[in-house]
Amino acid sequence: MSSGVALDEIDHKIIERLGIDARVSNREIGRELGLTEGTIRSRLKRLFDSKVIRVAAITNTSRLRNPILAYLWIEANTAGDIEDMAKALAKVPEIGFVATMLGRADVLAMTLVENGNELTDFLHQTIDKIPGVRRVRYSLGQNFIKHDFRWCALVD
């Protein structure tokens, strides 16, 4: 964990409980864990301050009209282009995930599209114009078996 914060069993139980319902009160968590509301409040403050957790709204993509998750496997012109290309991709509003990679591609980016035409336009009008992009291969998510939204990298 990059924060360097040691988490004990109680911290993990608090995080797990918030993963079920982030709107639950400190009093309710304390009651369930046999702790005081003040203990829960101080532990949550430490978890928030150390950036171990963050409260955020999550869109349930299965409720969108016709979402298709597109994985964009992007190769850079040169190794020196990778970081700047990744930063430029991260600034594109339609892209929800960017990571530099080892292996299949230099960068993996993810976006939601509604159909093949939208993906084609996005690739040609947006991605291909980013300096350093040599080639983009894509995969489309078809049937998601599991995605645990509670685990992610918090980025600023």
Side-chain angles (χ1 to χ4, degrees):
M1 191 168 293
S2 63
S3 68
V5 175
L7 302 180
D8 63 16
E9 184 179 344
I10 293 171
D11 293 324
H12 286 287
K13 286 181 179 181
I14 292 170
I15 293 167
E16 182 179 331
R17 182 60 177 94
L18 290 172
I20 295 168
D21 179 3
R23 298 176 300 167
V24 67
S25 71
N26 292 348
R27 181 178 296 159
E28 178 66 18
I29 295 172
R31 188 188 62 71
E32 291 174 10
L33 300 180
L35 300 167
T36 67
E37 181 181 358
T39 298
I40 300 302
R41 185 174 40 256
S42 65
R43 283 178 174 261
L44 282 173
K45 180 174 179 357
R46 180 176 55 85
L47 294 170
F48 282 117
D49 290 349
S50 60
K51 298 186 179 181
V52 172
I53 62 173
R54 178 187 301 162
V55 175
I58 299 171
T59 301
N60 183 351
T61 58
S62 68
R63 302 287 190 213
L64 299 177
R65 190 166 40 134
N66 187 27
I68 301 169
L69 183 60
Y71 298 86
L72 309 178
W73 305 93
I74 305 167
E75 295 176 23
N77 285 324
T78 68
D81 292 328
I82 295 172
E83 287 301 319
D84 288 341
M85 184 178 70
K87 288 176 184 175
L89 287 162
K91 291 179 183 176
V92 175
E94 296 87 355
I95 293 179
F97 175 90
V98 176
T100 57
M101 308 293 288
L102 294 174
R104 181 177 180 179
D106 297 312
V107 174
L108 170 62
M110 290 187 244
T111 187
L112 284 173
V113 296
E114 289 197 9
N115 55 52
N117 288 337
E118 185 179 332
L119 177 59
T120 300
D121 289 345
F122 181 67
L123 293 175
H124 294 305
Q125 301 301 319
T126 305
I127 303 302
D128 287 348
K129 293 181 179 180
I130 294 174
V133 171
R134 179 175 62 169
R135 176 167 56 178
V136 180
R137 295 180 184 178
Y138 62 88
S139 304
L140 301 177
Q142 181 179 7
N143 185 20
F144 297 98
I145 309 305
K146 180 180 181 180
H147 174 84
D148 191 339
F149 61 88
R150 295 170 298 174
W151 288 89
C152 66
L154 298 179
V155 294
D156 292 324

